[in-house]
């Protein structure tokens, strides 16, 4: 068995026995990995209480070659996720990050950029700043990393550049936007204003520090929320469960 070191975020915890836990990590070096933490339930155990949901830690584990679980041998806490006590939204936004990392990435498929984006989003939630915009940015970064970002540049039918018309229809089944000329007459599909599409493009392409300078109207937030919830739900095959607790 090979011993590996990694920077990791705890994305799932389950009891395994009276003393042990099964922990799923999203690591910078290896992507998602699930390991058994023997003694992980003891307060003064070998992992020094590093194993909390959304904690960031430096871990050492024995990598199994078969489908068996890896074995965690060391975990030292780098940062604990501490959302403001009066902001349930910050807490559930963190849970949503864990759910997306668990559901949309594969075991041993590393995504360094997504790891960094996750750390950045968790820090924003912990500060209680721009929770919704930071979450949208995280979702866009995730979709980009897994190659499932919808097209926000042109109509999926006629390839006309988005910006020309006032509003578009988002069609999740076709992975993008449809211009008014390509829509069915009398269609009651969800409309998205061109300004909202421009914001989605900006959020997808901007550097992390830029998010604090982006502002969005309630309607733009609603339209972006609809677009990303529809996209993520379609890939997962279900609506993410943490979303039901988030208030936007
Ligand atoms: Zn078109």
């Amino acid at each position: 068995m090979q011993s590996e070191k990694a920077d990791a975020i705890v994305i799932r915890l389950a009891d395994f026995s009276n003393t042990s836990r099964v922990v799923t990590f999203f690591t910078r070096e290896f992507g998602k990995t699930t390991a058994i933490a023997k003694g992980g339930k003891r307060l003064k155990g070998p992992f020094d209480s590093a194993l909390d949901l959304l904690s960031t830690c430096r871990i050492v584990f024995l990598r199994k070659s078969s489908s068996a679980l890896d074995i965690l041998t060391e975990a030292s806490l780098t940062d604990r996720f501490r959302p403001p006590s009066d902001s349930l939204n910050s807490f559930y936004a963190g849970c949503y990050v864990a759910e997306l990392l668990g559901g949309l990435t594969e075991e041993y498929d590393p995504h360094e950029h997504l790891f960094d984006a996750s750390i950045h989003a968790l820090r924003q939630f912990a500060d209680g700043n721009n929770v919704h915009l930071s979450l949208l940015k995280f979702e866009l970064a995730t979709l980009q990393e897994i190659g499932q970002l919808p097209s926000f540049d042109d109509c999926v039918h006629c390839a006309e550049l988005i910006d020309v018309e006032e509003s578009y229809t988002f069609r999740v089944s076709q992975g993008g936007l449809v211009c008014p000329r390509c829509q069915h007459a009398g269609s009651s599909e969800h409309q998205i204003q061109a300004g909202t599409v421009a914001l989605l493009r900006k959020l997808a392409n901007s550097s992390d520090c830029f998010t604090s300078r982006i502002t969005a109207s309630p309607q733009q937030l609603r339209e972006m929320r609809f677009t990303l919830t529809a996209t993520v739900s379609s890939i997962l095959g279900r609506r993410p469960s943490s979303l039901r607790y988030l208030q936007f």
Side-chain angles (χ1 to χ4, degrees):
M1 268 185 294
Q2 211 174 331
S3 176
E4 308 278 17
K5 288 182 182 151
D7 287 316
I9 304 169
V10 177
I11 58 169
R12 198 179 299 147
L13 286 159
D15 289 346
F16 184 74
S17 67
N18 285 342
T19 55
S20 301
R21 298 172 120 179
V22 172
V23 189
T24 304
F25 296 100
F26 185 67
T27 70
R28 191 167 203 275
E29 293 80 353
F30 305 99
K32 191 168 67 176
T33 176
T34 302
I36 182 152
K38 290 179 181 163
K41 281 180 76 180
R42 289 194 211 111
L43 273 178
K44 282 283 165 205
F47 307 115
D48 201 20
S49 69
L51 303 178
D52 273 335
L53 185 66
L54 297 168
S55 281
T56 313
C57 37
R58 183 82 184 146
I59 60 169
V60 181
F61 61 99
L62 298 174
R63 184 168 172 175
K64 287 287 187 88
S65 50
S66 65
S67 57
L69 292 174
D70 294 336
I71 296 172
L72 188 70
T73 55
E74 287 173 40
S76 55
L77 184 72
T78 314
D79 201 6
R80 203 179 291 287
F81 178 56
R82 284 211 176 97
S85 55
D86 60 348
S87 172
L88 275 177
N89 244 14
S90 293
F91 171 73
Y92 286 119
C95 296
Y96 184 46
V97 165
E99 186 176 358
L100 287 199
L101 292 175
L104 296 179
T105 68
E106 303 292 331
E107 299 256 330
Y108 283 104
D109 178 19
H111 290 279
E112 281 183 20
H113 177 70
L114 182 54
F115 181 87
D116 296 342
S118 310
I119 297 282
H120 182 79
L122 292 175
R123 284 192 187 136
Q124 292 289 107
F125 303 155
D127 288 343
N129 295 330
N130 290 308
V131 172
H132 196 179
L133 277 176
S134 299
L135 192 62
L136 290 163
K137 182 161 179 60
F138 169 77
E139 291 167 286
L140 288 163
T142 306
L143 294 170
Q144 206 151 27
E145 278 286 315
I146 64 170
Q148 302 262 18
L149 187 68
S151 165
F152 298 129
D153 294 324
D154 35 41
C155 169
V156 292
H157 279 286
C158 69
E160 180 186 81
L161 279 181
I162 304 291
D163 274 348
V164 180
E165 309 289 345
E166 205 173 287
S167 72
Y168 295 82
T169 294
F170 179 68
R171 255 186 228 157
V172 66
S173 59
Q174 288 164 309
L177 298 156
V178 178
C179 78
R181 274 178 289 109
C182 297
Q183 290 163 25
H184 308 299
S187 150
S188 59
E189 294 169 293
H190 264 270
Q191 297 290 307
I192 294 178
Q193 307 300 306
T196 306
V197 181
L199 259 182
L200 281 165
R201 279 203 295 260
K202 212 179 204 179
L203 271 177
N205 297 324
S206 65
S207 67
D208 285 330
C209 53
F210 193 68
T211 316
S212 57
R213 281 184 269 152
I214 291 179
T215 51
S217 71
Q219 182 183 353
Q220 287 171 328
L221 285 172
R222 269 197 309 278
E223 290 177 356
M224 289 195 283
R225 182 76 261 141
F226 167 79
T227 306
L228 293 183
T229 298
T231 305
V232 167
S233 303
S234 155
I235 303 167
L236 280 176
R238 61 179 170 81
R239 195 182 151 89
S241 50
S242 345
L243 268 188
R244 102 176 70 125
Y245 305 110
L246 277 162
Q247 312 228 319
F248 296 120

